[in-house]
Amino acid sequence: MPAKNHIELIVKTLAVLECLAASEQSKALKEIAAEVGLVKSSVFRILFTLREQGYVEQSDGGNYRLTLKSGRLTRKNTERLRLADIARPYLIKLRDDLDESVALAERRPHAVVLIDVQETSHPLRLSFQIGDDCPIHATALGKAVAAFLPTAEFQTLWKGEALPQYTARTNTKATSLRTELAKIRTQGYSFNNEETVTGAFLVGAPIFDANGTVCGAISVNSPTVRCTTRRKQLMISDVVKTAKQISQDLSDVGLIHSKTISAS
């Protein structure tokens, strides 16, 4: 059955499209045929049909290139993507690699909000609720976002009100918070060291959209009883690496966070 469903012409057509998409420069028929490994006559018929349908055009010199119509095929799909859609496979992998719960937060106009959680199977673990706010002075997620916001946007999250205290370790001083956020900008990751829940250690890292604007953050958490120094270093390196991978994917698909928020 699989063999009967396979359509070789579609495979060849996709190879031609991928060849053209791989370069910003137009390409000659001979060059395309050589790259996809097909005879020129076959490639010519494919290009002729794609040109008829408006997906390929020819320059004055006869070379071929993709049209804006072909680009719209991917843009329509990209516009439906959200941060959580792109990040989820990475969250699952991070959870499985570290065997700890991970979380994803998104920058909203007036808050940093938890939008996805992938929990470990450990009986001893933190539980989060999707939709919860992530305070910018006490949570790893909130601090990872706040550290990279422009001043004006930072002030929409914190207007100088008193900072709530959740545990004895919660930082409630504005001057200390600004110092900590400056350090996070330099090192690229944040901590929540028993600042919201006694006995819990969390590491967070920022996520940036296609414009290089911070749009969210990921974190991994562990009970302090199993969080050795070596374990903390592993958490830091894995969280930072994963955040960078998500940011790269957002850049690759051209996702601009402000547009997805306004469209939702």
Side-chain angles (χ1 to χ4, degrees):
M1 182 64 72
K4 292 181 179 180
N5 291 332
H6 181 85
I7 303 176
E8 187 63 27
L9 179 58
I10 293 179
V11 175
K12 294 176 181 179
T13 302
L14 291 172
V16 170
L17 288 170
E18 290 173 354
C19 175
L20 292 173
S23 173
E24 296 181 359
Q25 304 297 322
S26 60
K27 294 184 176 182
L29 172 61
K30 180 180 180 180
E31 182 183 4
I32 298 169
E35 289 189 22
V36 300
L38 298 172
V39 298
K40 286 196 293 183
S41 58
S42 295
V43 175
F44 175 79
R45 289 194 295 272
I46 291 171
L47 290 167
F48 182 88
T49 305
L50 289 171
R51 189 180 64 182
E52 277 191 325
Q53 298 302 312
Y55 292 102
V56 166
E57 63 185 3
Q58 276 184 285
S59 64
D60 293 338
N63 287 357
Y64 295 88
R65 63 190 173 201
L66 297 179
T67 64
L68 293 177
K69 183 179 180 180
S70 64
R72 284 199 294 271
L73 292 174
T74 56
R75 281 199 297 275
K76 287 178 180 178
N77 184 58
T78 298
E79 288 167 1
R80 293 194 294 268
L81 289 174
R82 295 293 185 268
L83 173 59
D85 300 321
I86 293 173
R88 186 163 294 116
Y90 292 103
L91 299 182
I92 293 171
K93 183 177 186 304
L94 183 62
R95 177 200 63 193
D96 293 346
D97 287 349
L98 293 174
D99 200 15
E100 299 288 1
S101 296
V102 300
L104 172 70
E106 184 174 56
R107 165 76 170 102
R108 299 286 174 82
H110 301 290
V112 178
V113 178
L114 193 68
I115 63 170
D116 199 1
V117 176
Q118 299 295 327
E119 290 193 344
T120 179
S121 59
H122 275 303
L124 180 59
R125 64 180 186 268
L126 279 181
S127 292
F128 296 99
Q129 295 296 319
I130 292 176
D132 283 351
D133 285 350
C134 305
I136 62 170
H137 70 294
T139 64
L141 292 166
K143 285 189 262 188
V145 172
F148 294 89
L149 287 174
T151 301
E153 292 186 40
F154 174 78
Q155 290 174 344
T156 66
L157 294 183
W158 179 57
K159 299 180 176 64
E161 301 97 336
L163 298 171
Q165 185 160 9
Y166 304 104
T167 72
R169 299 180 69 100
T170 306
N171 180 10
T172 60
K173 296 182 179 179
T175 53
S176 298
L177 174 61
R178 293 185 186 279
T179 300
E180 184 178 7
L181 294 180
K183 182 178 180 180
I184 293 168
R185 281 194 297 275
T186 300
Q187 65 189 16
Y189 55 87
S190 59
F191 292 139
N192 172 357
N193 189 9
E194 299 187 87
E195 295 162 55
T196 53
V197 178
T198 300
F201 178 81
L202 300 91
V203 180
I207 297 170
F208 302 92
D209 69 8
N211 282 343
T213 302
V214 66
C215 60
I218 60 170
S219 71
V220 61
N221 69 77
S222 174
T224 54
V225 293
R226 63 170 179 259
C227 198
T228 63
T229 299
R230 183 177 179 181
R231 182 75 169 162
K232 288 179 182 179
Q233 291 303 315
L234 181 61
M235 289 167 64
I236 292 169
S237 62
D238 283 6
V239 168
V240 170
K241 179 179 72 175
T242 302
K244 288 180 178 178
Q245 290 172 329
I246 297 170
S247 299
Q248 184 61 57
D249 274 9
L250 297 182
S251 177
D252 289 344
V253 302
L255 190 145
I256 299 174
H257 181 252
S258 59
K259 292 184 178 180
T260 66
I261 288 297
S262 61
S264 59

